[in-house]
Amino acid sequence: MQAVALLKRPPANPLMLGLAADAYVLRSVAAVRANDLEQALLLLPFNDALRLLQWVSGWLAQGSQVELSCRVATLLLRLHHSQLTATPSARQTLVDLHKRLRAAVQGLRDTMGFNIAALKYMQRLAKENAGVDEGGVVKAARRQLLAA
């Protein structure tokens, strides 16, 4: 127990801005403009692309930058499909990535569906308060009848 207490974390690398390795790679990928992302990934050798897919799987597990992670994974899978399917060592990475991508995208779909439903509800309330129903008919006559 004392040996664990004596061990310290290594000092933060100033070249990586004091970030953990995965956070630094995510920050670097996020800094690439969307237009240039595909060009940058095209230049990436297969071994580095496989390593980046492992990083993407980790980012998805953390829930960090899900949209960016999905885009990077999709581009890399499309670019290196033939090599990925022929490489047995990539299988576990691809299986993990598949599970995490599916869960992350489903989470985004659920969030978007919930937000769209809330916006429709708020729009309906705003129309009711303005005196207009879905058909665009003024409800003034209805209010007068209810008030009487």
Side-chain angles (χ1 to χ4, degrees):
M1 185 69 171
Q2 292 176 353
V4 173
L6 294 176
L7 292 175
K8 294 183 181 178
R9 286 185 88 186
N13 188 343
L15 294 175
M16 292 185 1
L17 306 172
L19 298 171
D22 61 340
Y24 183 75
V25 173
L26 177 61
R27 183 177 183 273
S28 298
V29 171
V32 177
R33 290 185 307 175
N35 297 337
D36 298 334
L37 185 62
E38 186 170 0
Q39 294 299 320
L41 293 176
L42 269 170
L43 298 174
L44 207 58
F46 175 70
N47 290 335
D48 294 335
L50 186 58
R51 191 174 304 134
L52 186 57
L53 281 174
Q54 292 169 349
W55 286 110
V56 168
S57 181
W59 300 336
L60 289 170
Q62 296 171 1
S64 304
Q65 298 266 346
V66 174
E67 296 91 351
L68 177 66
S69 299
C70 289
R71 181 162 183 196
V72 168
T74 303
L75 287 171
L76 287 175
L77 290 171
R78 192 171 36 131
L79 293 172
H80 297 285
H81 180 266
S82 59
Q83 288 177 309
L84 285 168
T85 55
T87 306
S89 62
R91 179 163 173 72
Q92 188 58 43
T93 301
L94 293 175
V95 169
D96 291 342
L97 188 64
H98 178 262
K99 284 190 259 183
R100 291 178 178 163
L101 270 173
R102 186 171 293 275
V105 170
Q106 187 60 46
L108 285 178
R109 280 184 184 163
D110 292 345
T111 301
M112 287 181 63
F114 182 80
N115 289 344
I116 289 172
L119 285 172
K120 286 180 180 177
Y121 175 74
M122 289 174 59
Q123 183 180 24
R124 194 170 53 242
L125 283 179
K127 283 183 179 179
E128 273 183 21
N129 290 339
V132 179
D133 64 5
E134 280 90 26
V137 179
V138 178
K139 294 186 194 176
R142 182 176 173 206
R143 286 187 187 151
Q144 287 177 352
L145 289 174
L146 291 176

